[in-house]
Amino acid sequence: MKATVAAGLALLVLTGCEPTSPDRERPANLDDSVAGEIAADAGTQAHNRPAAVSTLPVTLGDQTFTLELALDNDTRFQGLSDRAYLAPDGGMLFVFPRPRNLEFVMRRCLVPIDIIFLDAGGRVTASHAMTVEPYDRPERQLRRYGSQYRAQFAIELAGGTLETLDLQPGDRIELPLEDLKARAK
């Protein structure tokens, strides 16, 4: 029964750095020393964007950001996890097949990240400055950052970026909404 409830909750919770998925959880046998080695290795190579990543220029306020697209479960699961660097004009746009209440956490994130949740029409529902948590902190102890209302998109940016933007709940972000929704898996 507990496994069924946990699997159901895992499908509803997303992480800022990596969406939760019941089959992609940290293996029980991954001890703290191995997690530390992963983090150290990530520091040397994770700041590079993967080679074949789709991106989209998105303007927020008077700044244009090049956002990597997270359109499927695998890409959303990995998110910005294990990256030691996020460019000031970079980030990630998470696109979901349908609107729902979203929660992100900072699992395996090595740098602070700001997040902006958008509803199906591209309007801001909530934003948060997310702080780095210990690399090996158990899932149940990670702070949750929620969309407040049903959201279909989330934008992650380098920590501190929200302070430079004048975004308020209800503001609309220009995105090719229908194209992105059609591409989400």
Side-chain angles (χ1 to χ4, degrees):
M1 175 78 171
K2 283 185 180 179
T4 303
V5 171
L9 288 174
L11 292 174
L12 295 176
V13 177
L14 280 289
T15 67
C17 289
E18 123 188 356
T20 300
S21 172
D23 61 340
R24 298 283 304 265
E25 291 293 328
R26 176 180 165 189
N29 64 352
L30 180 63
D31 65 19
D32 292 341
S33 63
V34 174
E37 290 173 19
I38 292 170
D41 185 49
T44 61
Q45 61 185 322
H47 68 280
N48 296 323
R49 183 185 313 152
V53 172
S54 294
T55 62
L56 178 71
V58 175
T59 301
L60 303 171
D62 61 355
Q63 289 183 265
T64 299
F65 297 86
T66 302
L67 302 180
E68 298 174 37
L69 298 179
L71 300 168
D72 59 46
N73 285 333
D74 287 339
T75 309
R76 287 189 298 261
F77 182 85
Q78 179 60 35
L80 295 174
S81 294
D82 298 317
R83 301 220 191 160
Y85 175 76
L86 185 55
D89 64 345
M92 185 168 279
L93 173 60
F94 294 78
V95 183
F96 299 90
R98 65 192 171 285
R100 61 184 182 210
N101 290 328
L102 299 175
E103 286 187 325
F104 278 48
V105 299
M106 291 287 284
R107 183 191 313 123
R108 293 182 22 224
C109 294
L110 304 172
V111 296
I113 296 174
D114 290 346
I115 189 165
I116 304 162
F117 292 102
L118 309 172
D119 67 12
R123 296 197 184 281
V124 175
T125 66
S127 61
H128 305 279
M130 302 189 297
T131 57
V132 175
E133 301 209 32
Y135 190 83
D136 59 351
R137 179 166 281 167
E139 176 78 22
R140 69 185 177 282
Q141 294 177 5
L142 295 172
R143 179 174 176 196
R144 282 6 188 195
Y145 299 91
S147 60
Q148 189 168 0
Y149 302 103
R150 293 167 53 94
Q152 191 163 4
F153 306 93
I155 296 174
E156 290 187 337
L157 306 168
T161 305
L162 280 176
E163 295 172 8
T164 68
L165 303 172
D166 186 26
L167 291 177
Q168 303 298 319
D171 287 353
R172 188 165 190 280
I173 306 299
E174 292 297 325
L175 296 171
L177 297 173
E178 296 312 313
D179 176 60
L180 290 169
K181 291 175 188 178
R183 295 171 61 191
K185 301 175 191 171

